[in-house]
Amino acid sequence: MKNLETLHWVGGVDGHLRLIDQTLLPVEFTQIDCRDMESIWKAIKRLRVRGAPAIGIAAAYGVCIGLQTVSGQDEAALFRRLDEVTDYLATCRPTAVNLSWALQRMKNRALELRGTPTADIAEALLAEARAIHEEDRQMCRAIGHHGAELLADGQGVLTHCNAGGLATADYGTALAVIFAAVESGKRLHVYVDETRPLLQGARLTAWELQQRGIDATLICDSMAAVVMRQRRVQAVITGADRIAANGDVANKIGTYGLAVLAAAHNIPFYVAAPTSTFDLSLAGGDEIPIEQRDPREITHGFGRQTAPEGIDVYNPAFDVTPAERLTAIVCEQDIIRPVTRERIAEVVGIRGSGLGIRGSGNELSANSPSARAPSPEPPF
Ligand code: MRU
């Protein structure tokens, strides 16, 4: 099996970020190096690195790279640049709260160190980014450990988008539950939604499952209903990009439809996510910002025109599944069941991203004159 290192830091404080270019998978396995914050912004925006936890980790390393331009300068210059870098990186994708969570955590660490030599602050920030990375690795393993009990030997399991090792430091969230169940000896068959329009299921999840030798069948998104009706699956499990305090879950577009279908067929619907994906500052899912993406992802997917020129297009990248549709949320601490505000507060407590982060997670960038987002380019 290929070493699935989604992203890693190369070198010391003057080093750079190396990541798998996920837009090229499964045909090409290529790693790219990001040496300035613009290339990290672009890599996230264009989904070269994607998935809520991986976006957060990339952004944390992005802060380290952004600060390299003020190496050797005084503290005022460092903090000015820190604001500029975090504001800028916060603009690349709005829905996954892990992005602003990681940026805020980096900022908080720098503020704690005010008054110490700037070289030490830069070192400490690299250590913080590495800690975010390592903690995510451990959270994924813990999610797998807790969630494995939800799946029984011989079951079919449906998943959507990619919530695997490629979306995290390693091992994944929804796929971690599947991996851990299989590692514990259960035989599972995974149905993989291709996940229109950018095919994260077909390109990434199907690839990851193959790499691990797990039985899998790829389906078009529109086939999920019949797969459920034919009792081919006994559970659905997905990841999450942001979870509000009441348990409403934003995840890849199509997730809400699957949850409705699962309820109609009496199939449990599980979400797996680390506590860094909870945003307890938001009362409910209506407050979660939903990323709208380039219409060409739908009309010209992967370079081929498949719709008439000029047709109006709606392309939200995520939807929100109401808490009452969820059977349980698996996080690294425990299984949250039932999914209620009270149970979330009990399990997630102060680790929720919303605490210590301003508002929606977009606010790092909202009104900042220093946010210099490059003009959008269609991915793929
Ligand atoms: O647009 P993407 O590919 O970043 O969307 C990813 C998802 O929706 C994942 O399900 C989510 O981020 C969880 S990843 C562990």
Side-chain angles (χ1 to χ4, degrees):
M1 190 180 102
K2 269 205 169 78
N3 176 16
L4 247 192
E5 210 167 15
T6 308
L7 72 180
H8 65 276
W9 184 258
V10 181
V13 78
D14 56 351
H16 62 273
L17 183 61
R18 181 165 294 165
L19 49 90
I20 298 173
D21 183 346
Q22 298 187 31
T23 63
L24 302 177
L25 285 171
V27 181
E28 263 180 63
F29 183 92
T30 302
Q31 292 179 306
I32 54 168
D33 289 340
C34 298
R35 297 175 190 275
D36 54 51
M37 67 171 187
E38 287 78 12
S39 59
I40 293 197
W41 191 99
K42 247 185 170 174
I44 296 174
K45 181 73 183 177
R46 294 174 62 103
L47 275 54
R48 292 193 166 115
V49 58
R50 30 72 44 210
I55 291 172
I57 299 163
Y61 285 126
V63 170
C64 303
I65 289 176
L67 289 180
Q68 288 169 350
T69 62
V70 292
S71 154
Q73 295 184 30
D74 65 9
E75 186 179 286
L78 183 141
F79 278 92
R80 260 198 316 277
R81 178 69 178 159
L82 182 63
D83 280 343
E84 194 176 89
V85 171
T86 53
D87 284 351
Y88 171 71
L89 290 174
T91 60
C92 53
R93 294 193 77 189
T95 303
V97 77
N98 305 61
L99 175 70
S100 52
W101 171 84
L103 292 172
Q104 190 66 53
R105 183 165 152 177
M106 294 295 282
K107 231 171 158 170
N108 291 347
R109 180 71 186 122
L111 288 168
E112 279 168 14
L113 294 169
R114 256 193 200 284
T116 57
T118 54
D120 293 352
I121 299 179
E123 287 284 358
L125 288 178
L126 179 57
E128 193 69 10
R130 288 189 195 279
I132 289 171
H133 194 170
E134 180 53 32
E135 285 166 25
D136 187 68
R137 206 185 299 278
Q138 288 169 18
M139 287 194 286
C140 289
R141 294 285 161 173
I143 287 170
H145 174 75
H146 289 306
E149 71 173 62
L150 298 171
L151 304 176
D153 185 32
Q155 281 189 335
V157 184
L158 177 65
T159 190
H160 189 66
C161 195
N162 173 264
L166 289 166
T168 58
D170 159 50
Y171 207 56
T173 56
L175 291 194
V177 171
I178 291 170
F179 296 155
V182 169
E183 282 160 22
S184 75
K186 293 176 189 167
R187 286 156 305 162
L188 300 177
H189 191 97
V190 185
Y191 282 82
V192 182
D193 262 359
E194 66 175 346
T195 317
R196 282 275 292 152
L198 296 181
L199 306 186
Q200 289 91 332
R203 295 185 301 102
L204 309 177
T205 299
W207 183 77
E208 279 198 47
L209 291 167
Q210 254 187 359
Q211 293 287 313
R212 287 181 182 266
I214 294 177
D215 287 345
T217 300
L218 177 65
I219 58 169
C220 300
D221 300 346
S222 52
M223 296 168 190
V226 80
V227 162
M228 290 187 197
R229 190 172 166 81
Q230 292 172 345
R231 312 310 296 177
R232 289 170 186 262
V233 294
Q234 287 70 45
V236 181
I237 187 157
T238 73
D241 283 81
R242 193 184 299 223
I243 304 175
N246 69 345
D248 292 351
V249 168
N251 191 51
K252 179 52 59 194
I253 190 75
T255 303
Y256 170 50
L258 282 182
V260 172
L261 284 174
H265 292 88
N266 210 14
I267 293 171
F269 189 95
Y270 302 115
V271 165
T275 48
S276 54
T277 300
F278 286 76
D279 184 350
L280 302 188
S281 74
L282 302 187
D286 289 348
E287 296 169 47
I288 299 176
I290 299 294
E291 178 182 10
Q292 302 293 326
R293 291 189 63 91
D294 193 317
R296 290 175 65 86
E297 290 178 352
I298 292 179
T299 58
H300 294 71
F302 302 93
R304 181 163 188 265
Q305 182 171 348
T306 54
E309 208 59 60
I311 187 73
D312 184 49
V313 169
Y314 179 48
N315 187 18
F318 301 96
D319 59 27
V320 174
T321 300
E324 61 269 21
R325 292 273 173 222
L326 309 179
T327 310
I329 300 176
V330 188
C331 68
E332 75 275 17
Q333 325 273 43
D334 205 349
I335 295 178
I336 300 173
R337 180 169 48 186
V339 181
T340 59
R341 188 181 304 277
E342 295 68 34
R343 181 78 182 122
I344 288 174
E346 195 181 301
V347 174
V348 178
I350 56 161
R351 288 219 52 182
S353 294
L355 306 179
I357 292 202
R358 289 172 281 159
S360 69
N362 263 339
E363 292 182 12
L364 270 169
S365 61
N367 300 310
S368 166
S370 59
R372 292 177 290 104
S375 57
E377 279 177 63
F380 305 104

